[in-house]
Amino acid sequence: MRLFVTGIGTEVGKTVVSAILTEALQADYWKPVQAGDLDYSDTHKVKDMVSNSKSVFHDESFAFNHPMSPHAAAERDGVEISLGEFKIPETENHMIIEGAGGVMVPLNSKDCIIDLIKDLGVEVVLVSRNYLGSINHTLLSVEALVSRGISIKGVIFNDVENVDTESVILRMTGLKCLGRVEMEEDLTQEVISNYASKFREVL
């Protein structure tokens, strides 16, 4: 199983969800593009949250110094991102792939994260966080993915439950809710493992 974890925007909980799914499947993890925070990247964070000994954490295809959109971070570092340079690391294990920002985040002057997803031929797990405007952002993300023929395994809600928001998203998209991640104060390995045991059943 190869799952691409993307979100309806930035800071919606993709890294935490990626850690939970990695633990649930004892999967490998790969972040194709890291922009900024190289000393403690998303790969480092997921590795710290995961407790199983089977998961392998693969190097990023691109790692940039500045915390900004990949296309701009690449330009600052004098690099041009090409879709052809992304190759899913070889493994016989399941693979969790974590995106950068939302689906329409630019990688270069013509390609976005959604084009990378399409090019890799993987299924999507969409992370939605409850805030004012999240219905719009979620529906737009789903419409973009569907219009490109990208399969969506389901949506994961991150934050305190909001029935009004979540029910209309699920009804209008027809997506399966894979589960919810609450706003945890401390994301220990034990907390991640507890969530993983719940998600394992729906994956």
Side-chain angles (χ1 to χ4, degrees), residues 6 16 28 61 86-87 94-95 99 104 111-112 120 122 141-142 147 149 151 166-167 197:
T6 190
V16 174
D28 286 10
S61 296
F86 291 100
K87 304 294 181 186
H94 300 299
M95 177 69 76
M104 298 307 295
D111 298 310
C112 296
L120 294 176
V122 290
S141 298
V142 171
S147 72
S151 176
E166 295 170 22
S167 62
S197 64

Side-chain angles (χ1 to χ4, degrees), residues 83 107-112 115:
L83 284 186
L107 294 170
N108 52 41
S109 60
K110 60 184 179 65
D111 298 310
C112 296
D115 299 300

Side-chain angles (χ1 to χ4, degrees), residues 14-27:
K14 294 187 303 297
T15 301
V16 174
V17 167
S18 294
I20 291 169
L21 299 185
T22 297
E23 182 69 13
L25 297 171
Q26 296 191 348

